Amino acid sequence: MLTNERIIEEALARITAGYVFPERTAAVEAAIRGRLAAGAYEGLDGPLLCETVTADLQQVCPDKHLRLLWTDEPQSLEPVDDDGGIAAFTALLRAANQGIRRVEHLEGSVGLIELSRIATATDGASAIGAAMQLVAHSSALILDLRACLGGYPEGAAMWCSYFFPDDQVHLNDIYERVGNTTRQYWTVGHLPAPRYLDRPVYVLTSEVTFSGGEDVAYTLQAHGRAVVVGATTRGGAHPTARHAVAEHILVTVPTARAINTVTGTNWEGVGVLPDVQVPADQALEEALKAAVRTP
C-alpha cells in the first residue's frame, strides 16, 4: 500500500511534467512539500487526503482542474495502461447515453436538450445527431447545461457546429504544453442531422456547469449564436489529463488551455457570465418565456 508521502510525490511529478503553465509548478511544489514536511497529510484517509491536497493546490494555484480525486473504481498503476483517463471517461459517457439526459418539446414548439456531459465527436456523433433530429423543426431551442460537468473539446465543437451554416467558422484554439502546439477547432462540415439555423438558441447555466459545458456556452455566446441564461459557471477552461497515483486516487493535470477566436481568452477562473442573470433554478422558466415571446 502506497504511503501518503509517495502518493503526493507521484502527483507532484505529474504536475511538474505536464501542467500547461510550467512557470507555476515551482510554487506548487514548494507549497505542497512545505505542507508535507509539516505533517499536514499524515494519517489522512484517501478521500480526506484528496480534499486536503486539492485545497492546498488551489490556494497556491487557483486552477479548478488541478486536484486529487478519489475514485471508488480501482485504477491500474501500470504505465502501459495510463491513457490520461480517456478510457474510463469514454466508458462513463457510453453508460450515460453520451451525456444526453433529456430531449423534449415544450410549449410554443420550443425544443429542449439537457446535457450532463459533452461526448466525443466520434462515439457521440450519432447520439448528438439523434437529439438534434428530434428538435429539428422546433421554433427555438433551449440547451440546458446546468448540470453539465465537462467533456471533450471535439464534442463541444460538434455541438456548436449545428448552430452555424457551414464549416467556415473558426470557433477556438487549444494550446498544448506537450509539443508546444496549437490545435484549431472549426465548425464541422458534415453532420448527421440538420443544422439549427435562423432560430433562437438559449443556453442555461449554473454554478455547477463546468469545463466542456462551459466551452459550449462560452463559444456560442462569444460568436453571437446563443443567449446564456442562468448563473455564472464554475470557471474551468483547461483540458485535463487524469493519472492514477494510487489505486483509488487520481491527479488531474491541466495540460492545455483554450483560446476563443472572438475574445482572445477563455473562462478560466471567471466562469461564463450569463447574458440574462437569474438563479439557476429559474433559468428554464426565464428562457422559455423569452423563446415564446420571440417572433
Side-chain angles (χ1 to χ4, degrees):
M1 185 176 180
L2 293 175
T3 64
N4 285 358
E5 181 177 359
R6 181 61 185 276
I7 290 168
I8 290 167
E9 290 288 353
E10 290 288 336
L12 288 175
R14 289 291 189 177
I15 292 168
T16 301
Y19 188 46
V20 65
F21 296 110
E23 66 277 9
R24 299 181 187 174
T25 59
V28 168
E29 191 166 4
I32 299 302
R33 288 192 186 283
R35 296 280 288 155
L36 183 63
Y41 308 125
E42 288 181 11
L44 301 183
D45 65 14
L48 185 55
L49 177 67
C50 291
E51 181 183 329
T52 305
V53 173
T54 296
D56 291 342
L57 284 170
Q58 296 188 1
Q59 184 174 20
V60 66
C61 184
D63 185 324
K64 291 183 173 63
H65 276 112
L66 188 64
R67 51 192 172 160
L68 289 192
L69 289 178
W70 175 263
T71 172
D72 292 330
E73 188 73 23
Q75 305 293 307
S76 172
L77 298 179
E78 294 296 323
V80 69
D81 295 329
D82 186 6
D83 66 351
I86 293 173
F89 194 69
T90 300
L92 183 153
L93 284 166
R94 288 173 180 162
N97 196 36
Q98 300 298 342
I100 299 167
R101 179 177 288 179
R102 178 166 58 135
V103 182
E104 287 187 28
H105 276 255
L106 305 177
E107 63 178 277
S109 188
V110 176
L112 171 70
I113 299 175
E114 181 183 355
L115 301 180
S116 62
R117 304 276 183 178
I118 304 297
T120 67
T122 49
D123 275 11
S126 59
I128 294 169
M132 291 303 299
Q133 184 70 61
L134 289 172
V135 300
H137 302 295
S138 57
S139 60
L141 178 63
I142 297 173
L143 193 59
D144 188 348
L145 302 179
R146 288 177 293 177
C148 189
L149 300 178
Y152 289 93
E154 297 86 351
M158 174 165 277
W159 274 110
C160 291
S161 295
Y162 278 95
F163 307 109
F164 298 94
D166 50 38
D167 60 357
Q168 298 302 302
V169 181
H170 185 183
L171 298 170
N172 53 46
D173 295 331
I174 291 183
Y175 167 78
E176 297 186 7
R177 176 185 169 183
V178 177
N180 191 31
T181 60
T182 298
R183 178 175 177 180
Q184 297 182 345
Y185 288 82
W186 293 69
T187 46
V188 178
H190 301 284
L191 296 168
R195 294 178 188 272
Y196 199 91
L197 306 175
D198 306 318
R199 285 162 288 174
V201 178
Y202 300 88
V203 176
L204 309 186
T205 59
S206 76
E207 300 89 343
V208 172
T209 310
F210 192 54
S211 193
E214 294 176 289
D215 185 349
V216 174
Y218 189 91
T219 301
L220 291 177
Q221 180 189 59
H223 285 269
R225 189 57 190 93
V227 175
V228 177
V229 182
T232 301
T233 61
R234 282 172 64 190
H238 296 154
T240 301
R242 299 181 175 203
H243 303 284
V245 292
E247 191 176 28
H248 292 279
I249 296 178
L250 303 169
V251 60
T252 68
V253 183
T255 57
R257 58 186 173 88
I259 307 165
N260 184 268
T261 55
V262 175
T263 66
T265 184
N266 59 45
W267 59 95
E268 178 64 37
V270 296
V272 181
L273 306 180
D275 301 297
V276 180
Q277 191 141 12
V278 295
D281 60 0
Q282 298 174 25
L284 177 56
E285 179 184 1
E286 191 71 24
L288 186 57
K289 286 193 296 187
V292 171
R293 283 198 306 266
T294 303

